[in-house]
Amino acid sequence: MNRLSLLCLFIMASTLQASEVVKISKNKMNMAITHDLGTEWKVGQNICVQGNQDSKICGKVVKVKKAGAICKMNSALNGIVPGDEVR
């Protein structure tokens, strides 16, 4: 394989492993997130999301579904958009 193909493969693999924001509620206090590759979120687990504007907001998982989880945040999700990484 050439170097460009390997680089593309590496980038795709690294993005598939991380959880990300799928949807943000109208009041910006709740959000839906995806599961990590190979692991699932658990109710009560602490999470944090880092936005593009260096805003880090934390919260807890309140409901787990097959496709992901619903989280209640400690403060409004200002500066957070769908696609941001969750930890």
Side-chain angles (χ1 to χ4, degrees):
M1 288 186 153
N2 62 27
R3 291 180 186 176
L4 181 59
S5 297
L6 288 173
L7 178 61
C8 290
L9 183 63
F10 175 75
I11 291 171
M12 287 177 27
S14 65
T15 57
L16 289 175
Q17 293 179 358
S19 291
E20 63 181 38
V21 176
V22 177
K23 188 173 181 180
I24 298 173
S25 68
K26 289 181 182 179
N27 68 2
K28 296 190 176 191
M29 291 300 291
N30 300 310
M31 68 178 179
I33 61 174
T34 60
H35 290 295
D36 285 336
L37 185 62
T39 60
E40 290 189 5
W41 296 104
K42 294 179 178 24
V43 174
Q45 191 171 5
N46 292 321
I47 61 111
C48 289
V49 61
Q50 181 99 22
N52 293 335
Q53 302 169 351
D54 292 333
S55 56
K56 183 177 179 182
I57 301 170
C58 297
K60 287 192 183 235
V61 174
V62 293
K63 188 173 188 179
V64 176
K65 297 185 171 197
K66 185 175 184 175
I70 306 297
C71 305
K72 181 166 180 67
M73 307 310 288
N74 297 332
S75 60
L77 291 162
N78 297 322
I80 306 298
V81 295
D84 286 343
E85 190 173 326
V86 179
R87 298 182 183 154

